[in-house]
Amino acid sequence: MRGLPDTLGTRMAVGLCVVFVLLPVATSVAVATSVSSARGLWGDGVTLQWLVTGWEQISPTLGRSTAVALGVVAANLVLGGPLAMWLARSPSRLTRAVSFLATLPLAVPGIALSIGLITVYPQLRPSGLLLFLGHVLLTLPFTLAALTPVLADQELQDCENAATTLGAAGWRVLATVTVPFSATALVQVVITAFALSFGEFNISFFINPPAAPMAPFALFDAYSTQRLELASAKTVLFMLCLVPVLALLVAARRTPSTRKARP
Amino acid sequence: MSGATARFSSLGAAVPGIALLVAFGVVPLAVLTVTALGLGATGAGEEPGLTLDNLTQAVTSPRLRQELVASVVVGIGSVLIMLVAGIPLTLAMSRHGGQVGHGRLTSVVFTLPIALPGIVVGFFTILMLGRTGIFGQVVPALGGAAYTLPGIFVAYVYFSFPRVIGPLQAAMSTFDHSLVDTARTLGASRARAFVSVTLPVVLPAVVQVLGTAAAVTIGGYGTIATLAQSERLLPLSVADRLSNGYQVASASGLAVVLALLAAGTLAVSRLLSAWLERRLR
């Protein structure tokens, strides 16, 4: 094909999209370090004071959100792993019905689900258990979508059968065949569940125990009541917490997949 | 599937996961519907008893009807805008692959915003188009645009960006570009090649991406909660009903309408996509 103009056009379009995505991120950093952003970015000078104040105010909620997100990841692996295994390997009318159920949290808006949740389980709300379970419910469909096709793979099942025939115990087959084979999908599960739970706002807004706000809730509070610089500082700190997750994402993409080459 | 062995697969081990889906997914939705029909909990000033008013208010009340229409227009419209930009972009990216910049880094940048909650996207819009936003400081007319319908549109386009580009990239990665090259060699114009060769192949996937992304944008609360000053979308009224004297039946009714809109968009797109797949193959 006539490569050059096309490539140039594509490169410019990709560049524009990168700017579209990153400009607000860069702006929030600039506003967070401006003394007074209303007088232009860094108009009255550069300061780290907003970031320091922001950190003092938001760090407890960041810690809480991280803890909840890690718990949600664990619950996804513990509950979602066996469920995906069953969905992948015992196809029946029942698995189809459960697969359909698993799409509900994707299709139904979080605010609708949360009104149902607080109506049915008000007693689970103060402890934060309802919030946690709501997050697990919301992330589980993504876990199933990532794991089920991999676990259904015939090649994986052949390998497992070979290992078993050769005398390996069940746990050993799981640990040395199944888990390594599905490593890419498992990493994807960890990243997705963590990021979704950490940034979840719709359910958290309604179910949040008022005494223990989650990070997105604290951000929302800052957006409605605080000055732009402090709100930006908190946003920057929030995004920094996602950097390890994104680094993991980049690393996972860099690792050449053992089997199927990435397109 | 060989079927001889279903190693490690056991219904017993799957039960906790299924129980969670039922107890915290199906049951709350059923109760939500019952509440919406007036047969469950009621709040301040709400009469118990079977009624459709909680649902139909979304159409009968002029204010709510306006919010409903705006929700659908913004939700589907923003995804459509993303598709118009995203289809040629992802097609070109899949064709030129390695030649276009650092593919891996670009793809991380394009997926990054999916981890940001809607409220952060709303706040980004305030930083750009708010009263003291950076565009407003250069072009005064743009100051405060974040709170107008066009500004809200921009916010929702940003919100749907990763939700459209990601799946599109995956769908386009397997596209066979030699088909288009063949059509072009045989004399088809660019537009003709796109309409009669490319579009039929990618359309089922595109329709599915549209439905999945629009379901999320229609149901999302965070972005509009941050930008709500003059313009309103339906999720705001769901929340308001709950915070104003806990009118739970009315809030449930609007939540059911919102859920039907989002789930309906998703379901219609899946059906349409499957139909197109059969028609076009």
Side-chain angles (χ1 to χ4, degrees):
Chain A
M1 264 307 261
R2 301 155 299 121
L4 202 65
D6 272 5
T7 318
L8 188 67
T10 310
R11 204 171 281 181
M12 281 170 61
V14 170
L16 270 178
C17 287
V18 170
V19 170
F20 180 68
V21 169
L22 291 184
L23 185 63
V25 180
T27 307
S28 60
V29 175
V31 172
T33 49
S34 297
V35 173
S36 169
S37 71
R39 298 173 173 237
L41 297 178
W42 301 305
D44 282 353
V46 178
T47 178
L48 289 178
Q49 192 51 47
W50 301 117
L51 284 165
V52 173
T53 313
W55 174 252
E56 281 164 6
Q57 293 178 4
I58 207 175
S59 54
T61 66
L62 289 175
R64 191 175 301 120
S65 278
T66 308
V68 167
L70 290 175
V72 168
V73 169
N76 267 277
L77 294 175
V78 171
L79 296 174
L83 183 52
M85 190 66 96
W86 176 69
L87 289 175
R89 297 187 180 181
S90 310
S92 69
R93 205 169 288 172
L94 189 58
T95 46
R96 274 198 297 280
V98 172
S99 300
F100 175 74
L101 286 191
T103 60
L104 279 183
L106 289 180
V108 177
I111 55 171
L113 258 176
S114 15
I115 295 179
L117 284 170
I118 52 178
T119 315
V120 184
Y121 307 106
Q123 69 280 13
L124 297 182
R125 198 175 170 186
S127 62
L129 186 61
L130 192 59
L131 178 98
F132 174 74
L133 292 170
H135 280 198
V136 177
L137 181 82
L138 216 66
T139 47
L140 200 57
F142 293 93
T143 300
L144 298 178
L147 284 183
T148 308
V150 179
L151 295 176
D153 195 301
Q154 195 53 52
E155 198 184 327
L156 168 62
Q157 300 194 46
D158 291 345
C159 291
E160 289 173 358
N161 288 340
T164 312
T165 318
L166 294 171
W171 62 267
R172 192 145 177 223
V173 178
L174 259 186
T176 58
V177 180
T178 319
V179 169
F181 188 95
S182 41
T184 310
L186 286 169
V187 171
Q188 198 191 328
V189 165
V190 171
I191 295 169
T192 313
F194 185 91
L196 282 177
S197 167
F198 192 75
E200 208 291 322
F201 178 71
N202 294 341
I203 285 197
S204 311
F205 178 75
F206 288 93
I207 304 187
N208 209 28
M214 307 296 285
F217 192 89
L219 280 184
F220 183 64
D221 198 36
Y223 296 161
S224 15
T225 60
Q226 292 175 336
R227 27 186 316 163
L228 220 48
E229 295 85 351
L230 190 53
S232 292
K234 290 180 176 179
T235 307
V236 169
L237 294 167
F238 175 86
M239 289 190 291
L240 278 177
C241 292
L242 289 167
V243 166
V245 183
L246 290 170
L248 191 61
L249 187 73
V250 179
R253 291 196 180 182
R254 192 160 293 170
T255 316
S257 177
T258 43
R259 297 177 48 259
K260 287 166 189 156
R262 276 192 170 274
Chain B
M1 181 149 293
S2 66
T5 55
R7 203 173 297 284
F8 304 126
S9 164
S10 106
L11 177 57
V15 159
I18 301 174
L20 181 94
L21 286 174
V22 172
F24 293 91
V26 179
V27 172
L29 286 178
V31 171
L32 182 78
T33 314
V34 171
T35 313
L37 294 172
L39 300 174
T42 46
E46 291 182 331
E47 297 284 316
L50 181 63
T51 173
L52 287 178
D53 291 353
N54 296 321
L55 296 167
T56 52
Q57 61 173 333
V59 196
T60 51
S61 147
R63 208 187 86 165
L64 290 174
R65 189 169 57 226
Q66 204 180 346
E67 292 179 14
L68 180 99
V69 171
S71 273
V72 174
V73 169
V74 170
I76 296 183
S78 61
V79 175
L80 279 175
I81 293 177
M82 257 327 293
L83 282 175
V84 169
I87 293 172
L89 181 71
T90 49
L91 270 175
M93 284 172 79
S94 93
R95 177 190 279 272
H96 301 300
Q99 302 169 45
V100 181
H102 304 279
R104 209 180 292 116
L105 205 60
T106 311
S107 135
V108 169
V109 169
F110 283 3
T111 13
L112 168 131
I114 209 164
L116 299 175
I119 47 164
V120 171
V121 175
F123 182 66
F124 279 173
T125 315
I126 294 175
L127 287 180
M128 299 285 115
L129 298 168
R131 294 205 179 78
T132 56
I134 59 168
F135 286 109
Q137 290 182 2
V138 182
V139 186
L142 290 175
Y147 309 103
T148 66
L149 214 47
I152 292 169
F153 242 101
V154 173
Y156 274 82
V157 168
Y158 192 97
F159 184 76
S160 50
F161 188 97
R163 289 163 178 83
V164 169
I165 293 287
L168 272 188
Q169 258 187 309
M172 302 304 184
S173 63
T174 54
F175 183 75
D176 183 0
H177 293 281
S178 64
L179 294 173
V180 178
D181 295 345
T182 310
R184 298 275 287 141
T185 314
L186 294 173
S189 68
R190 239 164 210 266
R192 175 98 198 272
F194 180 77
V195 170
S196 53
V197 179
T198 311
L199 211 51
V201 177
V202 301
L203 201 55
V206 167
V207 168
Q208 197 159 337
V209 171
L210 168 68
T212 313
V216 182
T217 50
I218 289 174
Y221 173 65
T223 310
I224 189 62
T226 315
L227 296 177
Q229 289 204 352
S230 46
E231 297 294 334
R232 292 181 59 88
L233 300 179
L234 195 56
L236 288 174
S237 287
V238 177
D240 287 354
R241 290 291 145 92
L242 216 54
S243 45
N244 296 337
Y246 198 67
Q247 305 169 54
V248 66
S250 182
S252 298
L254 293 180
V256 167
V257 171
L258 195 65
L260 287 175
L261 276 183
T265 309
L266 186 68
V268 167
S269 78
R270 291 276 157 98
L271 290 174
L272 189 59
S273 169
W275 181 78
L276 284 170
E277 189 101 41
R278 278 198 308 276
R279 267 300 291 262
L280 299 173
R281 284 290 143 95

